[in-house]
Amino acid sequence: MPPRSPATAAPATVPAAPATSSAAPAAADLVRCRWCTDDPLYVRYHDGEWGVPSRDPRHLFEMLILEGFQAGLSWITILRRREALRAALLDFDPEALARTDEAWVQDRMQDATLIRNRLKLRAAGANARAWLALPDPVGLVWSVVGGRPVIHHYAAPEDAPVAGPEAEALSRLLKRHGFTFVGPTICQSYLQAIGCLMDHTTACHRHRALAG
């Protein structure tokens, strides 16, 4: 499912658009997916990253790690701690993470700025090693959608499945290759985030841009 947030922050101050019929709508006036609150961090993520097709291996790996860390939490929590996680998780560099050990995990468990979950920290290292062992991790991820984004036309976020067939297939593939924290629900969110599944709702201003 799309990311969920329990709280709504005060909206960012946006200058009023000129009163002309040709003026582009102000950012605050744009219609977005219902799950996106007016928290500026969430708005930037929704408008600039979520659902945009990505084939950058570093970005794909980063998002896989972040989706694993989200398990049991809201996505806005992850966004707010993303840079702290980036610093602690070695810039999401799979080669660096692959060399981590239990002493590294224990050290990170002392950092109050992080999501201190021993299993998730261990999974970051294990998944880095699994990622590096793949001959073509980008190709594997995109293989579940035939190499092209699947464009959906959902009227509401809840119309999307919690875990569709593509997510089920990716979960099986990743588990087979030794990944953890890659259940079907996590894989569904992952595929939506990286643009394999284009699940912006039809009224959202990003739907038209990404549906092509």
Side-chain angles (χ1 to χ4, degrees):
M1 291 292 288
R4 290 184 285 271
S5 172
T8 300
T13 301
V14 179
T20 65
S21 59
S22 61
D29 297 330
L30 293 172
V31 176
R32 296 181 172 86
C33 298
R34 198 165 62 230
W35 55 261
C36 181
T37 72
D38 55 6
D39 185 313
L41 187 62
Y42 230 170
V43 170
R44 285 196 299 273
Y45 174 72
H46 172 276
D47 288 4
E49 186 173 358
W50 194 75
V52 177
S54 174
R55 289 180 172 81
D56 177 352
R58 282 290 290 270
H59 179 248
L60 294 184
F61 178 71
E62 173 180 343
M63 294 307 296
L64 188 65
I65 297 300
L66 291 176
E67 291 289 352
F69 267 86
Q70 186 200 0
L73 302 170
S74 66
W75 188 247
I76 193 63
T77 297
I78 300 300
L79 289 180
R80 288 170 177 159
R81 300 195 184 192
R82 189 175 190 174
E83 294 313 308
L85 285 165
R86 185 185 309 282
L89 300 180
L90 310 174
D91 199 30
F92 300 109
D93 179 352
E95 293 189 359
L97 276 172
R99 296 191 291 270
T100 60
D101 55 17
E102 192 62 25
W104 176 88
V105 170
Q106 185 59 34
D107 181 67
R108 295 307 185 273
M109 287 293 293
Q110 311 310 311
D111 188 342
T113 68
L114 299 182
I115 296 161
R116 291 183 287 184
N117 183 301
R118 195 178 301 275
L119 292 178
K120 291 178 181 180
L121 287 165
R122 286 173 179 158
N127 287 349
R129 291 186 283 276
W131 183 268
L132 292 173
L134 294 173
D136 180 11
V138 176
L140 182 142
V141 169
W142 276 89
S143 71
V144 300
V145 292
R148 300 179 63 183
V150 175
I151 309 300
H152 290 135
H153 300 277
Y154 297 129
E158 56 268 24
D159 293 341
V162 173
E166 300 90 352
E168 297 277 2
L170 182 60
S171 178
R172 288 193 298 271
L173 277 172
L174 293 177
K175 288 178 179 178
R176 188 182 307 156
H177 287 282
F179 289 81
T180 60
F181 281 93
V182 288
T185 302
I186 288 174
C187 286
Q188 177 78 11
S189 293
Y190 177 63
L191 291 171
Q192 291 172 319
I194 64 173
C196 287
L197 302 178
M198 202 297 289
D199 283 355
H200 283 277
T201 49
T202 50
C204 174
H205 77 101
R206 293 294 288 152
H207 186 277
R208 179 180 296 180
L210 293 171

